[in-house]
Amino acid sequence: MHAAFFLLLGASFARFLLRHPGEPRTPWIVAFSLALALLYVLGPYVLGPVPPAGPQRRLPWLAAVVAAWVVLVILAPSFAWCAVPLFFTGLRTLPTRAALALVGFLTTLVVVAQLRLADGFDPNLVLAPPAVAAIATAVFLHTQRQSARQRALIEDLLRTRRELAATERREGTLAERQRLSMEIHDTLAQGLSSQRMLLQAADRSWESDPAAARRHVRTAGDIAARGLAEARRFVHDLAPPQFDGGARLEDALRALAGTAFAGTAATGGTDPGAAAAPGPAVRFHVEGAPVPLPEPVRSALLRIAQGALANVREHAGATTAALTLSYLGDQVVLDVADDGRGFVPAAPATGGAERGHGLPAIRVRVRRLGGTLAVESAPGEGTVLSAAIPLSAPVETP
C-alpha cells in the first residue's frame, strides 16, 4: 500500500506537470506534494506502530495527511486517486466507525474531483469510486477479523501448551514420587527392618553369646551396604544391583529366596521381647525354558518378589513360602505363595501406611508392563500372588 501511494502520487504529479506546464499554481502543487510525501513517510517513524502508540497519538498526523491531500485535490483533481491507500491508512489507525466515516468523506471528494475532470456527467465516475472504496473496506475489515481470530487461536494454543507442559511436569513429579516410594518400600524399608531385628537380637545376646551378637552385627552391616547400593541406584535410576555382572533374573530370585528371612530366623519377628523363632523357608522353582527378558521386566519382577516376600514376613505369619518363575512362551509369570494366615483380598487394608503400600505398588508395576495381577487368599488358607507379564506388550512410560 505504501508503494501504491507513492506511485499514485508520482503519477498524479507528473500528469499535472504535463497537462499544465508553467501555471501559477505549480509551486503550490510541488510544495504540497512534497509535504504530503514527507508526512506519509515520517509519521509512522516518529509515532511508532499503531498498537503501542494508540490512535489518539496518530490522529494529528492523520489529519495533517488528509488535509494536505484535500488541498492537492482542490488544486489538481488528478490527485484524487491517492485516496485508495489513504483508505487503508485510516482503517488501520482509527476505530471502525470513525474509519468508515473517513472513507466516506474521501470517496465523496474523489467523486467530485473526477466529475471536475470530466467534460460532462458520467455515471461511471459517480459509481466507480464508491465501489472501489466498498471493496477495499470490506477486504480490510475481513482480513482484520481473520487476523483477530488467528491471534485468539494462537493465544489459546499457547495457553493450552503451557497448561499441558505444567500437567506433564506434575504427572512426571507424581510418577517419580511413586517410583521412589515403591523402590524404598521394596528394598530400603526391608533392609532397615532386617537391620533393626538383627541389632535387637545382638543386643539381647551381647552378654550371653558374644559370637552370635557379632554375627548379627556383621549381617546388619552387609544389609546396610546393600541398602546403600540400592539408594545410589535410585538416584541414577539404574537397574537393581542384583543384575550387576549380567546376572539372570533366576539367579537374583534364587539369591533372594535364600536371604529373604535371614534376620527373621535370628530374631523371631519385630517384637524385641519375642522368643527366637525361625522365619519361613522360601523355595524357588523355575518352569519352562528361560528366555532373555527386557530390563524393565527383570527389574519389575525382582521388585515384585521383594515386595511380596516383605508382605509375607510382616503380615502372613507363614512357615513356608514359594517363589515360582514360569516362562509360558508369550508371557512370564511370577507366583509367590505362602501358608500364612491369609486375608480377604476385597477387604480394605487397615493398619499403618507401610501395610497398605506393598500390594498397590505391585499392582502399579504390573500395570506399567501391560500385565495382570491376581491375588487369591482366604483367612487361614494362605495367599497366592500371581503376576503375569506379556513379553510383547509395550512398556508404559511413567
Side-chain angles (χ1 to χ4, degrees):
M1 295 307 301
H2 297 331
F5 174 79
F6 286 105
L7 178 63
L8 292 172
L9 181 63
S12 300
F13 183 73
R15 182 181 185 279
F16 175 81
L17 294 179
L18 291 173
R19 295 289 183 92
H20 308 283
E23 284 198 5
R25 53 181 174 167
T26 300
W28 294 102
I29 296 294
V30 173
F32 277 97
S33 297
L34 291 175
L36 179 59
L38 289 175
L39 284 171
Y40 191 89
V41 170
L42 297 179
Y45 289 100
V46 174
L47 299 175
V50 175
Q56 290 77 14
R57 288 187 56 187
R58 299 176 72 92
L59 284 177
W61 167 77
L62 182 61
V65 170
V66 172
W69 174 79
V70 169
V71 173
L72 279 174
V73 172
I74 294 173
L75 294 175
S78 58
F79 284 89
W81 284 108
C82 294
V84 176
L86 294 181
F87 290 165
F88 291 95
T89 302
L91 290 169
R92 283 200 313 270
T93 304
L94 300 174
T96 302
R97 291 185 179 181
L100 292 177
L102 177 63
V103 169
F105 171 72
L106 297 179
T107 303
T108 302
L109 287 181
V110 170
V111 172
V112 172
Q114 294 303 306
L115 290 176
R116 285 177 56 191
L117 290 174
D119 295 333
F121 178 78
D122 188 346
N124 287 334
L125 298 179
V126 177
L127 298 178
V132 172
I135 292 173
T137 303
V139 169
F140 180 86
L141 293 178
H142 176 73
T143 304
Q144 195 176 45
R145 286 193 295 268
Q146 289 290 100
S147 299
R149 283 195 291 267
Q150 289 178 355
R151 284 194 297 271
L153 178 60
I154 291 172
E155 291 175 358
D156 289 341
L157 291 174
L158 291 175
R159 183 171 58 255
T160 302
R161 187 172 66 178
R162 288 192 296 268
E163 292 174 354
L164 287 175
T167 301
E168 290 177 356
R169 286 194 296 270
R170 287 193 299 270
E171 291 179 351
T173 300
L174 292 176
E176 183 64 11
R177 288 178 179 175
Q178 187 180 52
R179 181 188 73 84
L180 288 175
S181 66
M182 291 189 300
E183 297 286 355
I184 291 171
H185 174 272
D186 293 343
T187 57
L188 296 182
Q190 294 182 54
L192 292 173
S193 177
S194 297
Q195 292 173 54
R196 177 174 177 268
M197 291 186 292
L198 285 165
L199 293 175
Q200 288 171 350
D203 182 64
R204 289 196 301 270
S205 60
W206 193 264
E207 299 293 339
S208 60
D209 192 353
R214 284 193 293 271
R215 286 197 303 271
H216 296 331
V217 172
R218 284 195 297 270
T219 304
D222 294 339
I223 295 174
R226 290 196 296 269
L228 179 60
E230 291 282 2
R232 287 171 175 167
R233 281 165 172 79
F234 295 162
V235 174
H236 299 287
D237 196 21
L238 299 178
Q242 289 86 346
F243 297 135
D244 288 349
R248 301 179 304 166
L249 176 61
E250 303 85 65
D251 300 330
L253 291 176
R254 186 174 290 108
L256 176 65
T259 60
F261 302 105
T264 308
T267 64
T270 60
D271 183 4
V282 182
R283 299 188 305 272
F284 174 69
H285 179 63
V286 179
E287 294 184 355
V291 297
L293 298 175
E295 178 59 35
V297 175
R298 288 199 307 164
S299 299
L301 289 176
L302 177 60
R303 298 306 191 203
I304 289 170
Q306 290 173 325
L309 290 178
N311 286 341
V312 172
R313 179 185 63 201
E314 296 172 9
H315 309 306
T319 59
T320 60
L323 281 176
T324 304
L325 183 65
S326 304
Y327 292 92
L328 304 179
D330 60 344
Q331 64 178 349
V332 58
V333 180
L334 176 67
D335 295 314
V336 183
D338 67 76
D339 60 355
R341 62 176 61 95
F343 66 102
V344 179
T350 59
E354 184 177 291
R355 180 180 296 271
H357 184 79
L359 192 56
I362 293 174
R363 292 188 188 279
V364 170
R365 291 186 188 278
V366 173
R367 184 175 64 250
R368 285 181 177 175
L369 294 172
T372 58
L373 179 70
V375 180
E376 299 178 2
S377 183
E381 298 183 6
T383 303
V384 177
L385 180 146
S386 180
I389 308 297
L391 297 181
S392 59
V395 178
E396 176 184 329
T397 301

